Amino acid sequence: MDAVIAVFALLFVLFLGLGVYATVKVVGAAKRGVDRGITQARRTVEDQTLRAKSFAQPGAAGELAQLRLKLRTSMRATQDTLHAAVAEDESLKESLGLFERLSAHGHELDDELKRLESEPDRGALGGRLPELRERTERITQSADALRWAARDRAHRFAEDDLDTLSAQIHMEAGALRHWTTPESQPASSPEPQPAARPWPEAPAADAATAGQTWPETPQSGPADEPARPAITPPAPRPTYPWQKKPRPESTT
């Protein structure tokens, strides 16, 4: 009895532990989803604010907003492209590592641009704009180069795979239509041979003594030759001038 109670207690503790673990996992996943949603919403609001500032504020403040918007857009697009491509192409891990190093410079520049938005000295801000513009251009160009290289690589692999697949499909289609190939054409049937001459039937049991009969064959003589009479008629006698004419018989 004590063993049964111990087993049930152990099962209860086990199920309780599994329930707590599942609850923690679900809560953690929900928290991560909420955090991603909040981050995405904050990013969207900040991008819209920067876009509004770039159009509404003239001068250095508006150009700072444009630089930040350009930097964030380029870095985010490159990050999404590399993370999506590295799952299918392991050789892009090195490119992803280079982008992480580039991202450190990008975050540093973005933070600096954000601080300069509240700079009251517009003259000093205008003097730093060329250097900030150059840094932004260098970082965005490097990010764009990585992004387009990854896209071109994926596109090239897709074309190579499509070419290989097309060649295999053409080969399979040719194999399925094997009767159309010249080497597989059936040989021409030989001309029909004349039927063999039949053998005579075996004689009946009651005619064992009779000779074997053969089928009659047509005579090989010409068919249009007239029949020759049995007796040749006499030819007329020749007459000579010194012979007397025959006298007619008297009727008296």
Side-chain angles (χ1 to χ4, degrees):
M1 188 63 181
D2 294 338
V4 175
I5 295 175
V7 170
F8 276 106
L10 182 60
L11 291 176
F12 176 75
V13 172
L14 180 61
F15 282 117
L16 183 62
L18 289 176
V20 171
Y21 176 77
T23 303
V24 170
K25 296 293 288 184
V26 170
V27 171
K31 185 177 181 299
R32 287 192 298 271
V34 171
D35 292 341
R36 283 195 300 268
I38 293 175
T39 303
Q40 182 68 27
R42 186 185 297 116
R43 180 186 304 166
T44 302
V45 171
E46 192 168 3
D47 289 346
Q48 295 298 330
T49 303
L50 291 174
R51 189 171 287 107
K53 286 181 179 181
S54 64
F55 288 108
Q57 294 181 357
E63 189 169 356
L64 285 176
Q66 291 178 4
L67 292 178
R68 285 193 68 196
L69 185 61
K70 179 180 180 180
L71 176 65
R72 292 162 63 90
T73 303
S74 177
M75 298 298 289
R76 188 181 305 122
T78 305
Q79 176 180 289
D80 294 342
T81 300
L82 291 178
H83 279 285
V86 76
E88 300 179 358
D89 190 357
E90 294 292 334
S91 61
L92 290 176
K93 286 185 177 181
E94 185 176 355
S95 300
L96 188 59
L98 293 175
F99 175 74
E100 295 297 336
R101 294 172 56 186
L102 184 65
S103 295
H105 293 278
H107 285 297
E108 182 181 353
L109 178 60
D110 185 63
D111 294 338
E112 186 174 354
L113 293 173
K114 186 175 182 180
R115 288 193 304 267
L116 291 174
E117 287 180 353
S118 58
E119 176 62 40
D121 191 354
R122 298 304 176 181
L125 181 60
R128 292 200 57 186
L129 278 178
E131 184 264 336
L132 295 173
R133 194 183 300 117
E134 181 185 359
R135 287 174 61 190
T136 304
E137 192 68 24
R138 290 177 61 186
I139 293 175
T140 54
Q141 284 182 356
S142 298
D144 294 344
L146 281 176
R147 181 175 69 254
W148 284 109
R151 289 177 178 175
D152 291 344
R153 181 180 178 85
H155 182 66
R156 181 61 183 173
F157 281 169
E159 285 187 350
D160 291 343
D161 184 67
L162 181 60
D163 292 341
T164 304
L165 181 61
S166 299
Q168 293 177 353
I169 288 176
H170 287 312
M171 291 177 61
E172 181 65 19
L176 292 176
R177 297 191 185 98
H178 60 87
W179 62 86
T180 61
T181 56
E183 59 272 7
S184 61
Q185 289 288 346
S188 57
S189 57
E191 296 182 359
Q193 299 293 334
R197 183 178 178 182
W199 290 94
E201 297 181 359
D206 55 352
T209 59
Q212 191 177 20
T213 60
W214 295 83
E216 296 182 358
T217 57
Q219 297 294 333
S220 59
D224 54 352
E225 183 178 356
R228 183 174 298 178
I231 302 176
T232 303
R237 287 184 176 183
T239 58
Y240 301 97
W242 60 84
Q243 289 182 346
K244 294 183 178 180
K245 296 181 178 180
R247 295 179 58 186
E249 294 181 359
S250 177
T251 55
T252 57

